[in-house]
Every structure is written in C-alpha cells, then in structure tokens.
C-alpha cells in the first residue's frame, strides 16, 4: 500500500509540470502562472540593470541620444534615405576619406513587415509589395564600410546601372531582393540601381564583386547561406513573438558563430520596438567575420553573456511581427499557441540572469 502511494506520488510530481503546460496549451489566453513568472523576470531584469550595470545602461542611453534621429531609425531605411538619399549623403560624406577605402562588407537582410510599417507610419496609405511566403526575409543591401565611418559610397561617379547585366539572375533578384516599396514603378528598378550606384561601385574594388552581375549574385548567395528566418527558427524564435535583444543575439551567435548587428525600428508613439534588420559582416576575402567596430547607427553593449551591437533598446521587448503592425491587428485571438516554445524561451531568459 505504502509502495503504491509512493509510486503514485512520484508519478504525480513528475507529470504535474507537463500537465500544467498541457492545460495551458488548451487555454486561448496567457495563463496566470505564466504572467506571474513573466512579471518576476521583468522585475529581475530591472533589478539586474540597476544593480550591476547601471553605468553601462546610462552610457548606452546617452549614446542613443547622440545618434542623429534619422540614423537611429536605421541608416538606409528612414524613408528619406530609401527614397532619395540626398540628406544623408550631404551630411555624412565628409566623414569618409576621399580614397574610398573600406574594411568590411555589411550584408543586410530586412524583415519586410517592419519596413512596410515604417513607411505606413509616415503615410498610412503607402503601398508595399510584400513577399507571399511566410517567414521570408529579403535582402536590403551589401554595403562596403570603413570601420567607424558611414561609407564610402558612390565611388564611381560615371558608373551606370544596366538591368541587362542581371538577366541571368533577375528572377531570383525579384524574389529575394525585391523593392518592397509599392510606390516606385517596377521598370525603374529603383532599389537595385540605388544599391549598385551607391554601394556596388565601392564594393567593385574587390575582384569578386567588380561588376553588377557579381555584386548582386554575391548577395543572393549570402542570403541562401545565412537565412535569418532559419537561424531564428532554430532557436525557437518565430514571427509574432516578443523577444529580448539578448535572446535574438544568442540565437544569431549560435547560428552564425560571428557577431552580427541587430536593428530595430522604434515606434515612439506606442513605445514599441520592431525587429527591422539583421546585418552580418564579411571581410575582403568574403569570409564571415564579426561586425565589431562597425558602429554606423548602432552601439555596442556588453551583457553577462557577450557583446551585442544594436540600435534596439536593450531592456525592452523587440517585436518580430508576422504582419504589418497596426493594419491587421485583429489576428490576435491565440496569443500563446506554443506554450512549450515560450517556456523554453523563458528558461533561456532566466538562465541569462543566473549564469
Ligand atoms: C486560462 O486563462 C484564464 C484567463 O486568462 C485564466 O483565468 C485561467 O487560469 C487559465 N487556465 C489555465 C489552466 O491556465
Ligand atoms: C567607372 O564606371 C565606368 C562605367 O561603367 C567604367 O568604365 C570605369 O572603369 C569605372 N571606373 C572605375 C575606377 O572603376
Ligand atoms: C561580370 O564578370 C563575370 C565573370 O568575369 C562575367 O561572366 C559577367 O558577364 C560580367 N558581367 C558584366 C555585366 O560585365
Ligand atoms: C507582444 O507585446 C505587445 C505589447 O506589449 C502585445 O500587444 C503583443 O500581443 C505581444 N505579442 C505576443 C505574441 O505576445
Ligand atoms: C578574412 O577572414 C578570414 C577568416 O577570419 C582570414 O583567414 C582572412 O585572412 C581574412 N581576410 C582579410 C583580407 O582580412
């Protein structure tokens, strides 16, 4: 009898956490115990910041304030830049040596929903051409960069953009490197032309990238080798989730083995950060390297597990939206579809404090 009840007790203890998780998975909304743990971790995060890295956070906040507003919203991304780059060129060209020398190539993939949201913030009727495929990151660009500088750019003032040079890869270009801006006429190939004239002409200093075909093809190859959606998915990070910058960083480091740069667009009205771009870096031999030292519109922040280069607020959740935010916000009835995944993330999150 005693043995029987002992076995029963042991079984109960073993399965009860899973019962909880299981019951939560049938629950359409966030269960209370989960909210409680979340609140606790938020408290922990706050006390952690205050106790051990007050100075760092203060410095970080100061650095944020020093980043010019249009740059804080991500270099090429602020619509003025994406649509007509005059303002940034005028104000920043002087920071680059006239010899057009550079150290690293920054390869940038963007999250289309966030890009589109950013445009719609300025004009709510702005048309976007978004990919039909789910969890689909697209290429923004391939930018030669001198460490600590914004450029060089427009290295060959007499260069032209010739769409015919891309005829063998144009289908893949349309798919993986599309101009998301539905307002620009497709026949203009605005984005490709801009990227080639502004950045490609500087990348051309390297033999492997010295013509249009090679430059764009390299971008397509790198997207294939370093698919951001896969890297995040491997760590259980899917669209429609809120993540800490540290969780994103941990996932990317795990997948890449090198330090990337993580970029958010910040919606000041609603105080929400959206995941916008992941940038990875290559050296002149086209080998993946750390982005350390590439501090264009981001800063470098130390945390107990490493150093993250980002413009996202380190102590705020970063949203990875599945749809353009604010437009389709009705699709929200099953917030916690994968409690086990969330639990896993939470454990990771707690490990971060305790390690
Ligand atoms: C399900 O959600 C409701 C409302 O949020 C909550 O009161 C309840 O405790 C939850 N049930 C379980 C099993 O977590
Ligand atoms: C600049 O572009 C023109 C036109 O494509 C080309 O003929 C010339 O060689 C380029 N100059 C350099 C320095 O690459
Ligand atoms: C670029 O160079 C490659 C290899 O030399 C060549 O196959 C390709 O046709 C060139 N493209 C252009 C536009 O010159
Ligand atoms: C993420 O956080 C925002 C605001 O804090 C909330 O509206 C949204 O529902 C959250 N999303 C998920 C998947 O928890
Ligand atoms: C690029 O990085 C690789 C691996 O770190 C290194 O072997 C190579 O020498 C580097 N090339 C240049 C030009 O720095």
């Amino acid at each position: 009898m005693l043995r029987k009840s002992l076995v029963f007790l042991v079984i109960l203890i073993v399965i009860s956490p899973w019962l909880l998780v299981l019951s939560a998975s049938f629950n359409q909304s966030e269960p209370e115990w989960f909210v409680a743990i979340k609140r606790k971790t938020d408290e922990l995060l706050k006390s952690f910041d205050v106790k051990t890295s007050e100075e760092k956070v203060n410095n970080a906040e100061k650095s944020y304030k020093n980043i010019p507003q249009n740059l804080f919203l991500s270099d090429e991304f602020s619509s003025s830049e994406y649509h007509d780059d005059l303002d940034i060129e005028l104000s920043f060209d002087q920071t680059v040596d006239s010899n057009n020398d550079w150290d690293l190539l920054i390869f940038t993939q963007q999250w289309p929903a966030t890009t589109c949201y950013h445009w719609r913030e300025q004009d709510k009727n702005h048309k976007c051409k978004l990919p039909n495929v789910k969890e689909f990151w697209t290429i923004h660009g391939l930018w030669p960069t001198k460490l600590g500088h914004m450029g060089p750019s427009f290295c060959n003032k007499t260069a032209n953009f010739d769409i015919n040079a891309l005829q063998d890869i144009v289908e893949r270009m349309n798919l993986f490197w599309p101009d998301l801006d539905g307002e620009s006429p497709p026949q203009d190939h605005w984005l490709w032309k801009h990227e080639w004239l502004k950045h490609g002409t500087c990348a051309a200093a390297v033999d492997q990238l010295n013509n249009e075909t090679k430059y764009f093809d390299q971008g397509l190859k790198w997207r294939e080798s370093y698919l951001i959606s896969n890297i995040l998915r491997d760590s259980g990070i899917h669209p429609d989730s809120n993540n800490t910058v540290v969780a994103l960083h941990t996932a990317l480091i795990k997948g890449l083995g090198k330090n990337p740069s993580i970029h958010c667009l910040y919606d000041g009205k609603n105080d929400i950060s959206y995941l916008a771009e992941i940038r990875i870096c290559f050296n002149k031999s086209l080998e993946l390297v750390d982005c350390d030292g590439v501090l264009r519109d981001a800063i470098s922040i130390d945390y107990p597990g490493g150093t993250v280069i980002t413009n996202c607020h380190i102590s705020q959740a970063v949203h990875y939206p599945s749809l353009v935010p604010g437009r389709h916000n009705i699709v929200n009835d099953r917030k916690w579809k994968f409690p086990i995944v969330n639990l896993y993330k939470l454990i990771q999150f707690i490990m971060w404090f305790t390690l």
Side-chain angles (χ1 to χ4, degrees):
M1 185 61 200
L2 187 68
R3 200 139 116 230
K4 248 190 193 161
S5 48
L6 212 66
V7 168
F8 179 71
L9 201 70
V10 168
I11 289 176
L12 198 71
I13 289 169
V14 169
I15 66 167
S16 60
W18 300 110
L19 278 180
L20 255 177
V21 169
L22 205 67
S23 69
S25 71
F26 292 115
N27 208 336
Q28 300 283 310
S29 61
E30 202 170 322
E32 261 163 33
W33 59 272
F34 218 109
V35 175
I37 297 176
K38 259 181 35 181
R39 202 183 305 123
K40 191 77 204 154
T41 51
D42 283 346
E43 275 168 28
L44 261 170
L45 178 56
K46 285 202 186 101
S47 66
F48 165 80
D49 276 347
V50 172
K51 264 195 258 135
T52 62
S53 55
E54 189 167 18
E55 201 179 317
K56 253 173 214 160
V57 170
N58 281 344
N59 287 343
E61 290 293 332
K62 257 185 238 139
S63 321
Y64 279 126
K65 292 203 182 93
N66 291 336
I67 299 173
Q69 194 53 32
N70 57 345
L71 285 186
F72 179 70
L73 292 174
S74 172
D75 171 22
E76 292 241 327
F77 225 16
S78 55
S79 64
S80 54
E81 166 67 347
Y82 199 100
H83 291 119
D84 102 43
D85 42 76
L86 274 180
D87 56 345
I88 287 198
E89 288 321 315
L90 289 178
S91 43
F92 288 94
D93 241 359
Q94 68 266 28
T95 65
V96 179
D97 296 346
S98 51
N99 66 10
N100 291 332
D101 199 16
W102 51 268
D103 304 302
L104 296 178
L105 284 156
I106 299 178
F107 177 61
T108 299
Q109 296 179 65
Q110 61 183 334
W111 182 242
T114 301
T115 309
C116 181
Y117 175 60
H118 177 57
W119 290 332
R120 289 211 178 136
E121 277 294 277
Q122 284 149 356
D123 168 9
K124 68 180 166 55
N125 296 316
H126 195 97
K127 282 197 204 67
C128 304
K129 278 182 297 204
L130 297 177
N132 295 323
V133 188
K134 265 193 191 167
E135 293 202 43
F136 199 82
W137 286 70
T138 64
I139 302 170
H140 185 176
L142 184 49
W143 309 327
T145 302
K146 191 165 177 55
L147 293 179
H149 291 264
M150 290 288 299
S153 49
F154 297 107
C155 295
N156 185 345
K157 306 269 192 246
T158 61
N160 306 306
F161 174 77
D162 176 14
I163 184 66
N164 298 316
L166 302 181
Q167 70 187 33
D168 290 343
I169 57 171
V170 74
E171 266 175 50
R172 283 156 66 224
M173 291 285 295
N174 279 322
L175 197 56
F176 303 119
W177 202 326
D179 187 349
L180 303 171
D181 187 359
E183 305 279 333
S184 67
Q187 66 275 16
D188 289 358
H189 308 291
W190 191 90
L191 178 64
W192 302 342
K193 181 175 174 187
H194 171 80
E195 293 299 318
W196 171 247
L197 296 181
K198 182 173 178 187
H199 305 288
T201 53
C202 301
V206 160
D207 285 349
Q208 296 103 304
L209 304 172
N210 67 2
N211 70 32
E212 245 181 82
T213 325
K214 290 180 181 175
Y215 174 75
F216 286 103
D217 194 46
Q218 188 61 61
L220 294 171
K221 281 193 187 124
W222 277 338
R223 183 189 176 278
E224 214 167 283
S225 308
Y226 305 100
L227 266 179
I228 297 302
S229 45
N230 284 2
I231 293 172
L232 295 180
R233 195 188 302 143
D234 285 349
S235 288
I237 296 174
H238 299 266
D240 219 358
S241 64
N242 294 316
N243 308 277
T244 62
V245 178
V246 167
L248 292 167
H249 186 245
T250 308
L252 289 161
I253 289 278
K254 194 172 134 211
L256 296 163
K258 298 287 177 198
N259 203 12
S261 160
I262 303 170
H263 292 256
C264 290
L265 284 168
Y266 178 65
D267 173 357
K269 246 189 297 175
N270 302 305
D271 192 29
I272 297 177
S273 295
Y274 291 101
L275 184 57
E277 293 184 340
I278 304 294
R279 303 180 185 170
I280 61 177
C281 297
F282 294 85
N283 69 13
K284 283 188 161 171
S285 326
L286 310 190
E287 298 204 48
L288 187 68
V289 294
D290 292 322
C291 289
D292 300 9
V294 174
L295 302 177
R296 292 149 62 102
D297 51 341
I299 57 169
S300 174
I301 303 171
D302 295 326
Y303 66 93
T307 300
V308 57
I309 304 167
T310 187
N311 77 347
C312 309
H313 285 280
I314 189 92
S315 50
Q316 215 184 27
V318 175
H319 294 234
Y320 180 17
S322 61
L323 298 163
V324 179
R327 289 255 128 182
H328 308 83
N329 50 7
I330 341 101
V331 194
N332 213 359
D333 50 340
R334 285 197 80 196
K335 267 198 259 177
W336 292 77
K337 251 185 249 169
F338 306 108
I340 292 170
V341 170
N342 280 311
L343 191 68
Y344 168 71
K345 267 194 253 174
L346 193 69
I347 289 166
Q348 272 195 324
F349 192 54
I350 291 168
M351 271 166 59
W352 172 54
F353 297 117
T354 47
L355 281 181

